Amino acid sequence: MAQILFIVLTVSAVALFSYNLRKIIRNIRLGRPANRSDQPQKRFATMLRVAFGQSKMFFRPVPALLHLFVYAGFIIINIEVLEIMIDGIFGTHRVFAGLGGFYNFLIGAFELLALSVWLGCAVFLIRRNIIRLKRFSGTEMTSWPKSDANAILITEILLMTAFLTMNAADAKLQSMGAGHYITAGAFPVSQFLLPLMPGSESALVLIERGCWWFHIIGILAFLNYLPYSKHLHIIAAFPNTYFSNLEPKGEFTNMKSVTNEVKAMLDPAYTPEETQPGRFGAKDVNDLSWVNLMNAYSCTECGRCTSVCPANITGKLLSPRKIMMDTRDRMEQVGRNIDKTGKGFEDGRSLLDDHISREEIWACTSCNACVQACPVNIDPLAIITELRRYAVMEESQSPASISAMLGNIENNGAPWKYSPADRFNWAGEN
Amino acid sequence: MSEKLNFEVPTMAQMMARGEEPEILFWVGCAGSYDERAQKITRDICKILHHVGIKYAVLGTEESCTGDPAKRAGNEFLFQMQAMANIELLNGYNIKKIVTGCPHCFNTIKNEYPGLGGSYEVIHHTQLIQQLIDEGKLKAEGGESFKGRRITYHDPCYLGRGNGVYEAPRKALEILDAQLLEMKRCKSGGLCCGAGGAQMFKEPEKGHKDINIERIEEALELQPAVIAAGCPFCMTMLRDGVKLKDQEQNVQVLDIAEITVKANGL
C-alpha cells in the first residue's frame, strides 16, 4: 500500500513538473533565434567552471562559502534521495546498506552536509531578515520575491531537519534491535538528537516513517515549486552558462537586418541575406532573443548586478535585477495569455513602458558591471540595448541631447558640432 | 618641452602619394581630435610614436566617428553607415594594424568591424606603450620623476571589463617606480566614470549623486598625487570630479600616454 502511494505520488509530481517545465521552454521559444551552438567545448568548459564550479560566486567569499554548503549539500544528498526512491518503490529499508563501511561513510557525510545546509540557510535567513543586507532590498524586491526567498530557505531547513530526525530515530531503533532496522550508517550529527528521542519502539517508528515521508514529499513539492520560483536557477544555471556569450563583453551584436538595409542603400545591386522580419529592437518579450528570455528564468534575484550598477548606486531608477525580473514577469504574462486564448493574442501591454520605463533604459552606462557580477552569466545589458534600439529606430524617441548627438554624427561625422575640416587641427596647435 | 609638436604628423593620404605604407595607423577618435584636453593626449601619443621611430600615420580629416556612441544609444543604422564608410576607407589604404587613443574606438573597431568586413589588428595606446616598454624602446628616464608618488589607475569599462585589458596600463605605470595604489573597485570590479553608453552626451537621470562624484570620492580616499586614465571620456568625468571637489591643486588627472611622455621628457 505504502509502495503504491509512493509510486503514485512520485509519478504525478514528476509529471506535473515536466508539464510546467515544458511551458517554460515554450515561453523561452517565444524569443527570436540566436546562434549559440558554436564552440561546444568552450561552452561546456564555461558551464563547468561557472555553474558547476561556482567560480564567479567567489568574488564575494562569505556568501560564496555559505552558498557552497547549500549547493554541495543539494548535489550530494541527491545520492541519498536515490536510496529513498528505491526504498520507496520496493519497500526496502536502507537498500545500499550492503556497501558496509562505505555506506557508513556516505551517511556520515550526508549528515555533515545536511548540517551545513541547515546552518547555511539559517545564516541566509538572518542576512535577509535580521541584518537586512541592502542587496536584498530595492524597488523590485516586493513582497513576493521576499517571501519566495524565505520560503526556499525555510523549506530547506525543514527538509534537513526531517532527514536528521529520521536518522536519529533510525539509529535508536537500530540500537534497540527493532524489526527490520538493521545496523547501518554512521550518525555524526543526529547522534546529538538521540536524547530527544522517545523510548517506545512504536513512537520511534512513527517518527522515523513520518520524517521519511515528510522528507520525500517535501522534495517532490519543492520540485514543483521551482517553476514558479526564483529557485529555478538550480536547473537553469546550467543551460544558461552553456549558452552564455563567449565574445568580449564590449562587443554588441551587429544587426543583420540593418546590414541588409544599409548595404542595399549603398549598393542597389546588393542582394540581401535572409533575416527574419520583425521590428528593430525590442518592445516586448517576443522581440528579444531566446537567450535573453532564458536569462530571465535563470535569475535568482541575488542583486549582485544591481549592487555594482553605477546608475543604481547613485540613486537612479535603473536596476539590472529589475530588468530581468520584469522580463520574466512579462514573459509569464504572455504565456498565460497563450494558455487562455492561444497564440497571437494581444493584451495591449508590452515590456517597454508597462514594465520597464524609458528613464531606466537611458540611465545605463553600458559599463558591463552587471554582466561581470552575475554568477550565472546573465546579460541585462543585452535587453537594455534592444529596448533602446526599439525606442531609437522604430520610434525616433530618445532624450533630446542624444538625438542631437546622433544628428551630429550624421552630419559632421562626430558626436559634437564640429566641422570635419577641423578634425586635424590638433596637430598644428599649441 | 614645448606643447607644440616639433615634427609633422604624417597622414595616410601623404603616405599613399609617396607609395608608402605605415606599420601602424593611429586612430585618433573624435574626442582626441576636437576635445582640447584630449588633443594634448593625442599629441603625446604622436610624440611616443615619433620618439621610438615607428612608421605611423593618421587619417587626418578623412577620419570619422566609429559609430560607437550611435550604437550604444541604439541607432544601429547610423552605426553601420559610419562603420561601412570607415571600413571602405581603411581597406582602401590596406590598413593592417591600428592603435587607438580611445577605448571606445578600440572596442568598436576591434570587435564590431570584423563582422562588417573590416578586420584589423587593433590595440589601445596603453597596450602599445606596454609593448614598447617590454621591447626596451621606452623607459622612464630623462624626464619628470614619478618616483614614490601616489598614483591610482581608473579602469575604463571598454578597455577593462569590455575587453579584458587590465595589465597593460598598469605595466606602463610600474616602470615609474611610483607608489601604485588600487581603488577598492578596480579591474573587473571597477566602477564606471559615468560617461559610457552615450551618457557622455546627455544629462544624467535623476538620482542622489553623479557617478563621477562617486568615483572621484573613491579615488580621493587614497590621497593620490595622480589619477591615471586611459580614455578621453573618463578624463573629462574624472577632471570634473576633481574640480567639483576642489582638489585641482593636489591631484592631477593624467592619461597614461601623458605620464609616459613626461617621464621620458619627450
Side-chain angles (χ1 to χ4, degrees), chain A residues 174-236:
Chain A
Q174 286 181 22
S175 67
M176 290 160 68
H180 61 273
Y181 289 95
I182 45 160
T183 308
F187 307 101
V189 178
S190 60
Q191 59 176 333
F192 295 105
L193 298 175
L194 282 177
L196 300 173
M197 292 295 123
S200 91
E201 191 179 314
S202 59
L204 283 170
V205 172
L206 195 69
I207 291 173
E208 194 273 333
R209 283 293 89 190
C211 286
W212 189 91
W213 280 102
F214 180 86
H215 186 229
I216 190 65
I217 291 174
I219 288 174
L220 295 175
F222 201 45
L223 178 73
N224 277 292
Y225 181 61
L226 294 184
Y228 304 97
S229 164
K230 78 190 192 78
H231 208 51
L232 188 64
H233 83 288
I234 63 173
I235 298 171

Side-chain angles (χ1 to χ4, degrees), chain A residues 249-250 252-255 259 313-314 316 362-367 369 388 392 401 413 419 423 426 429-430, chain B residues 30 34 39 43 63 65 71-73 76 80 107 112 157-158 161-162 196-197 199 201-202 205 208-209:
Chain A
K249 289 188 186 65
F252 285 25
T253 51
N254 285 335
M255 295 172 69
T259 312
I313 289 170
T314 55
K316 278 81 175 176
W362 287 111
C364 174
T365 68
S366 76
C367 75
R388 281 187 179 186
V392 170
S401 43
S419 161
R423 193 176 259 275
W426 57 266
E429 272 172 24
N430 285 314
Chain B
C30 299
Y34 295 114
Q39 284 178 337
R43 286 192 290 271
E63 196 184 275
C65 175
K71 193 173 181 88
R72 308 311 137 192
E76 182 76 5
Q80 292 201 14
N107 174 67
E112 292 161 357
C157 303
Y158 277 83
R161 267 190 302 272
Q199 297 293 333
F201 309 99
K202 62 185 265 296
E205 274 64 25
H208 57 64
K209 202 183 210 179

